[in-house]
Amino acid sequence: MSRLEAKKPPLFVSEPLTKDAVSQSLSLLSGILKSCYGPAGRLKQLHNGVGGYVCTTSQSSAILSRLSVSHPILSVLMASVQNHICRFSDCGLFTAILCCSLIENFKSLNVASCTVIKISKHLLSLCMDYLKSEACGCRVSVDFSSLETLLCLVRSVLTSKPACMLNKPEVDHLTMLILKAFMFTVPCHVETNAVLGKCIIVPVKGRRVADSTVLPGLLIETPEIQLAKPLAVKRTCSNMIKIALFCVSMSGDLFNPEEGTITVHHGISLEMSEVNQLLNVGKQLVNEEVGLVVCQKVIHPSLKQYLKENHVIAVDRAGLSLMEPLSRMTGSKPIASIHSLSPSCYGSLKDVCLESFASKHFVHLIPNDMVVCSLILCNRNETAWDELKRACETAEHVLQLTVKEPLALLGGGCTETHLASYIRHKSCSLSTSSFKDLDCSRTQYQLVADGFCRSLESVACSLNHDDGEILTDMVYGHCWLVPSGFPSVSNWSDLVSKCGCGINGNTENLNWRLLQGQFGSPIIQGCPKDPSVKVADFLTLDCFAAKCSGLQVALETANLILDLSYVIEDQN
């Protein structure tokens, strides 16, 4: 008998944030994420140590899912940010960078962690109240009767992903396509519980981005259908096309032996019995005027031939991902058995035609109500296409979130610097009773507030990757980027033309200061409601819901990590 190894006691690590290894790992993670941030972010190549797929990206969803971390504190941070990305798709880098900066700034303060947590929660409530108030100077309302703000939101998502390798005409083309695709998914008839439709992305790699297009309805790739032949499809007396949707295999496979024992009489062929059953299903479909059969899995060649002879189009290998949008678009119910068909399971389509893109052939299903559409997405190579697909999905999700809450925040670092200016102003005007309620001194509050503001400003500073200077003005509290190569004593007014979000131009004396300074000046007035520039061309916007959630997640995760006294690891 082999000797059993003695069980090891768990490893107790007290005050984990004070350990050099944790601080170094946190600083390294922060540096990696900061270097990816914004339109000029640096790309990262991620792959495992034994080869395989190489991912080139600057997007948080791809980076965090492929990074391996060993320390529990970093695992908590990354899991928290990934959960935010799953819910909102956008502002993942913002959340992670802000969380790292908050931890680094707060742990350097000579203030008890319990006091830091109480004060930071109060600062967060000030931020959220301000962002949700009509007086907020860093948010804009989204008017769905006009396209300008929606176009700005989509364009801001696309331009922040440099690995997509898009030039300006391509960005403009895709921005219009994504918005058009989103409009297809908005129901025409408003109901009490209206639900948005779905946009299916169809991959076409190795083609120009300008070849991308949007079609209403659904495309199913069918290599075996010949485009040269006219498409004859059976229609009902109301000129509709009846569709049957199968989620069960129609290949005629024999029973799985694991499902039980089957007794077969002499001279009976199981295979022929299955084929006959399938042909009986085909006869029923033909008799009930079904014009299109779509199967998630495989259809037997004999059944395909029979349906074809009776002018019924048969499409197999549709895949699981298309079942839900197909069902919703046509009103059909997926049929899970070939032994019982109910006419109530059938759906309907307006038309069916054939489409060809590059070397791919598709059956195009055109519905009665356009709640599902297909975005044929092209890019030059697989790496750029993968990144572009993620960006398009993010942009679509941002538009969906904006429907629920028609607001947007100013981008380009301006929301972060504006909030920092606001918090500095508010923290200087708090009453003595507020400090009593928080059980802290004015000095402690100011220290934590300054650490909070410097963390916000560090996110804005992360947009600069070329050793330039970052400024903020003392009138609007916006962020301004100065190109590299100019001394810090320059006349800033000669070097900047507009702020990071593009809403303010350099048309007045704004009293600049370097963003790296420890303390700022109180904000004097809010952002002007009517920008002097044309919004559609210049405004950079962020998703309101995603950024507000990112702010909350970053601070709550930082507080959780600051509050950790022990890490207990099982060594067995």
Side-chain angles (χ1 to χ4, degrees):
M1 184 176 178
S2 62
R3 183 178 300 171
L4 295 176
E5 186 178 350
K7 195 172 183 179
K8 298 177 183 177
L11 178 65
F12 288 80
V13 180
S14 62
E15 303 299 334
L17 280 180
T18 62
K19 303 297 184 282
D20 289 341
V22 176
S23 298
Q24 290 169 5
S25 298
L26 191 65
S27 179
L28 178 60
L29 177 64
S30 178
I32 291 171
L33 299 175
K34 284 180 177 180
S35 68
C36 297
Y37 195 50
R42 305 305 191 239
L43 305 184
K44 301 292 176 287
Q45 283 196 327
L46 300 105
H47 61 95
N48 58 37
V50 293
Y53 177 74
V54 177
C55 174
T56 303
T57 185
S58 65
Q59 294 191 46
S60 57
S61 57
I63 292 172
L64 295 180
S65 63
R66 290 170 173 83
L67 271 184
S68 298
V69 294
S70 56
H71 200 279
I73 284 182
L74 295 186
S75 298
V76 168
L77 192 156
M78 291 178 62
S80 184
V81 176
Q82 284 178 291
N83 182 58
H84 162 84
I85 294 169
C86 287
R87 293 173 58 216
F88 295 93
S89 297
D90 199 21
C91 297
L93 286 176
F94 163 81
T95 306
I97 294 168
L98 179 59
C99 185
C100 291
S101 297
L102 286 168
I103 295 170
E104 290 174 351
N105 283 318
F106 284 167
K107 76 184 182 72
S108 66
L109 302 176
N110 190 22
V111 181
S113 60
C114 59
T115 304
V116 170
I117 292 169
K118 281 190 290 186
I119 296 171
S120 64
K121 286 181 179 178
H122 183 259
L123 294 170
L124 177 62
S125 67
L126 290 178
C127 286
M128 298 310 298
D129 290 344
Y130 178 64
L131 290 172
K132 294 179 179 180
S133 70
E134 292 295 329
C136 180
C138 59
R139 80 175 197 187
V140 295
S141 297
V142 177
D143 181 8
F144 279 86
S145 64
S146 174
L147 295 181
E148 282 83 359
T149 313
L150 296 173
L151 289 170
C152 288
L153 270 170
V154 176
R155 188 183 290 110
S156 299
V157 172
L158 294 178
T159 54
S160 67
K161 318 297 185 212
C164 295
M165 297 188 291
L166 304 175
N167 55 37
K168 188 180 184 303
E170 291 171 341
V171 169
D172 293 339
H173 177 64
L174 281 175
T175 298
M176 289 300 299
L177 287 185
I178 292 168
L179 188 54
K180 183 180 178 181
F182 173 72
M183 291 303 182
F184 274 132
T185 66
V186 178
C188 297
H189 309 291
V190 179
E191 302 172 359
T192 306
N193 296 315
V195 179
L196 293 174
K198 195 174 183 68
C199 175
I200 307 298
I201 295 179
V202 179
V204 179
K205 301 169 186 177
R207 297 298 293 265
R208 300 179 309 151
V209 175
D211 294 333
S212 302
T213 189
V214 172
L215 294 174
L218 203 59
L219 292 177
I220 304 178
E221 188 173 359
T222 51
E224 70 275 7
I225 291 184
Q226 299 298 317
L227 292 179
K229 296 181 180 180
L231 191 62
V233 56
K234 180 181 287 189
R235 293 178 179 269
T236 64
C237 55
S238 59
N239 203 33
M240 290 287 128
I241 298 172
K242 195 178 287 187
I243 175 174
L245 182 61
F246 288 86
C247 59
V248 65
S249 175
M250 304 177 78
S251 64
D253 290 339
L254 299 180
F255 296 101
N256 189 342
E258 296 177 359
E259 295 177 357
T261 304
I262 301 171
T263 303
V264 182
H265 294 287
H266 179 72
I268 300 296
S269 169
L270 281 178
E271 184 177 355
M272 286 306 300
S273 297
E274 279 293 299
V275 172
N276 289 333
Q277 176 62 37
L278 289 172
L279 291 175
N280 289 334
V281 170
K283 290 175 184 177
Q284 182 177 346
L285 294 172
V286 170
N287 292 335
E288 292 175 349
E289 297 185 307
V290 172
L292 175 66
V293 175
V294 178
C295 182
Q296 176 186 330
K297 300 178 182 179
V298 178
I299 299 178
H300 194 280
S302 298
L303 178 57
K304 269 189 179 181
Q305 182 63 32
Y306 176 80
L307 293 173
K308 182 180 178 182
E309 290 171 355
N310 287 273
H311 306 295
V312 179
I313 300 174
V315 179
D316 61 353
R317 295 182 174 91
L320 178 62
S321 61
L322 292 184
M323 289 296 105
E324 188 272 332
L326 264 173
S327 175
R328 182 172 177 187
M329 182 180 78
T330 62
S332 56
K333 299 174 184 176
I335 300 168
S337 172
I338 62 172
H339 299 282
S340 59
L341 295 185
S342 170
S344 62
C345 293
Y346 302 146
S348 65
L349 287 169
K350 183 179 180 180
D351 201 3
V352 177
C353 61
L354 298 178
E355 301 282 357
S356 177
F357 297 95
S359 59
K360 295 186 175 184
H361 304 312
F362 301 91
V363 171
H364 182 194
L365 312 185
I366 303 172
N368 299 307
D369 293 322
M370 308 298 183
V371 293
V372 174
C373 68
S374 297
L375 171 59
I376 300 162
L377 190 61
C378 307
N379 212 337
R380 301 167 188 85
N381 55 60
E382 185 174 0
T383 299
W385 188 90
D386 290 342
E387 188 79 348
L388 185 57
K389 178 178 182 285
R390 285 189 288 265
C392 290
E393 289 172 340
T394 299
E396 183 193 9
H397 196 181
V398 164
L399 291 172
Q400 292 170 349
L401 293 168
T402 306
V403 169
K404 297 178 183 177
E405 202 164 10
L407 297 168
L409 290 174
L410 300 178
C414 290
T415 290
E416 290 86 341
T417 54
H418 182 92
L419 272 180
S421 297
Y422 173 78
I423 290 298
R424 286 197 171 102
H425 169 64
K426 289 291 290 184
S427 63
C428 292
S429 57
L430 277 182
S431 62
T432 307
S433 61
S434 299
F435 301 127
K436 288 183 179 179
D437 293 339
L438 292 169
D439 193 23
C440 69
S441 66
R442 181 180 292 272
T443 301
Q444 288 175 324
Y445 191 93
Q446 291 288 355
L447 284 171
V448 177
D450 180 59
F452 181 82
C453 294
R454 282 188 285 117
S455 298
L456 283 170
E457 290 173 343
S458 73
V459 179
C461 287
S462 302
L463 290 167
N464 178 27
H465 302 281
D466 298 312
D467 298 324
E469 298 286 0
I470 303 283
L471 308 176
T472 185
D473 65 84
M474 298 187 189
V475 178
Y476 303 116
H478 278 219
C479 177
W480 305 71
L481 276 69
V482 179
S484 59
F486 295 97
S488 298
V489 293
S490 301
N491 184 6
W492 302 126
S493 298
D494 297 334
L495 303 177
V496 293
S497 58
K498 61 180 181 179
C499 65
C501 69
I503 204 169
N504 287 320
N506 181 19
T507 57
E508 55 185 301
N509 184 14
L510 297 178
N511 298 322
W512 320 96
R513 72 172 177 87
L514 287 173
L515 201 58
Q516 288 81 359
Q518 289 288 322
F519 293 95
S521 300
I523 190 166
I524 296 173
Q525 67 181 73
C527 194
K529 294 290 183 182
D530 298 318
S532 58
V533 296
K534 187 179 178 183
V535 168
D537 290 339
F538 295 106
L539 204 59
T540 301
L541 296 177
D542 288 328
C543 176
F544 181 83
K547 199 142 203 177
C548 286
S549 169
L551 180 61
Q552 291 177 293
V553 168
L555 190 127
E556 289 168 0
T557 305
N559 284 345
L560 172 66
I561 291 172
L562 285 168
D563 203 29
L564 290 175
S565 298
Y566 283 94
V567 171
I568 305 171
E569 290 187 75
D570 186 0
Q571 298 186 92
N572 295 293

